[in-house]
């Protein structure tokens, strides 16, 4: 019985060490992400077109959020559609397209003016998502509104073909990028 307290103390020390290492790793990842977002703020002064903005956003999000696909789509409230910029879905190039918003996850993002995280294609809130270039359904996705004043002016999203890929921390990062995007769009 005398060895038990020592064994438990050893287990506690190992658990504490693991927690500290995990905390340091999280802090390091957060610092890297904040640096990328700060760099993005400076880069967003450069775009002179929506296509240029899409290129800057695609590059920045890829640096901080693992993804198989990225979309930047401008919202047209008059006909309730999204104009998707041309881009890559996995290794397939997809030309731009104008698609209706009705019945898609982006409709909820626009209506509620808040991000939507889905971690599986079977999640009911992922129902109705458009399928692009690869023909594969995204298993995980974050869709964030780009809000300027009182209006949603665009939706940005990252997607992965793996389930349970994204976290609340990833949502916060994409929301920060969406906020910066609104300012950039006003300057174009």
């Amino acid at each position: 019985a005398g060895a038990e307290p020592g064994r438990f103390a050893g287990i506690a020390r190992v658990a504490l060490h693991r927690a500290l290492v995990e905390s340091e790793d999280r802090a390091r990842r957060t610092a890297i992400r904040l640096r990328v977002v700060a760099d993005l703020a400076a880069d967003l002064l450069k775009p002179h077109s929506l296509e240029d903005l899409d290129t800057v956003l695609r590059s920045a999000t890829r640096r901080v959020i693992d993804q198989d696909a990225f979309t930047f789509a401008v919202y047209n409230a008059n006909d309730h559609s999204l104009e998707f910029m041309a881009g890559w879905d996995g290794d397939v190039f997809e030309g731009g397209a104008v698609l209706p918003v009705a019945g898609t996850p982006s409709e909820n993002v626009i209506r509620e003016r808040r991000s939507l995280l889905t971690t599986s294609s079977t999640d009911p809130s992922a129902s109705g998502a458009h399928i692009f270039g690869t023909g594969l359904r995204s298993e995980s996705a974050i869709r964030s509104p780009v809000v300027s004043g009182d209006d949603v002016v665009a939706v940005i999203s990252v997607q992965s073909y793996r389930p349970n890929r994204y976290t609340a921390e990833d949502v916060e990062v994409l929301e920060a990028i969406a906020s910066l995007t609104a300012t950039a769009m006003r300057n174009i």
Side-chain angles (χ1 to χ4, degrees):
E4 287 298 314
R7 188 173 130 236
F8 286 126
I11 291 171
R13 278 193 296 279
V14 169
L16 178 60
H17 176 73
R18 283 186 187 151
L20 287 172
V21 168
E22 288 174 11
S23 178
E24 288 171 356
D25 286 346
R26 266 193 312 278
R28 191 174 9 268
R29 283 192 312 270
T30 299
I32 289 168
R33 287 176 152 190
L34 289 174
R35 220 171 325 175
V36 169
V37 170
D39 291 346
L40 174 62
D43 288 346
L44 287 176
L45 298 174
K46 299 173 189 171
H48 298 290
S49 69
L50 292 173
E51 292 77 14
D52 290 345
L53 177 58
D54 177 64
T55 300
V56 170
L57 292 171
R58 186 176 306 279
S59 173
T61 60
R62 194 165 298 284
R63 290 172 50 201
V64 291
I65 302 174
D66 185 40
Q67 60 192 264
D68 294 308
F70 167 85
T71 62
F72 169 55
V74 177
Y75 178 59
N76 181 332
N78 294 329
D79 65 3
H80 199 46
S81 67
L82 285 170
E83 179 183 353
F84 289 84
M85 301 292 113
W88 293 90
D89 179 8
D91 59 356
V92 177
F93 182 77
E94 181 74 27
V98 176
L99 298 171
V101 173
T104 68
S106 291
E107 182 175 37
N108 293 332
V109 170
I110 292 165
R111 182 181 53 247
E112 296 174 13
R113 298 167 39 100
R114 65 183 181 93
S115 294
L116 174 63
L117 167 65
T118 54
T119 58
S120 168
S121 63
T122 60
D123 182 331
S125 60
S127 178
H130 294 293
I131 298 176
F132 291 98
T134 61
L136 298 173
R137 184 169 301 284
S138 295
E139 285 296 325
S140 301
I142 306 169
R143 294 167 181 88
S144 292
V146 177
V147 180
S148 181
D150 292 333
D151 301 318
V152 173
V153 295
V155 175
I156 60 175
S157 69
V158 293
Q159 301 98 40
S160 173
Y161 299 129
R162 293 177 289 162
N164 302 308
R165 182 65 196 107
Y166 300 121
T167 65
E169 182 180 283
D170 295 316
V171 173
E172 290 174 1
V173 170
L174 196 61
E175 287 175 342
I177 292 171
S179 179
L180 292 169
T181 302
T183 301
M185 287 181 73
R186 282 194 297 271
N187 294 329
I188 291 177

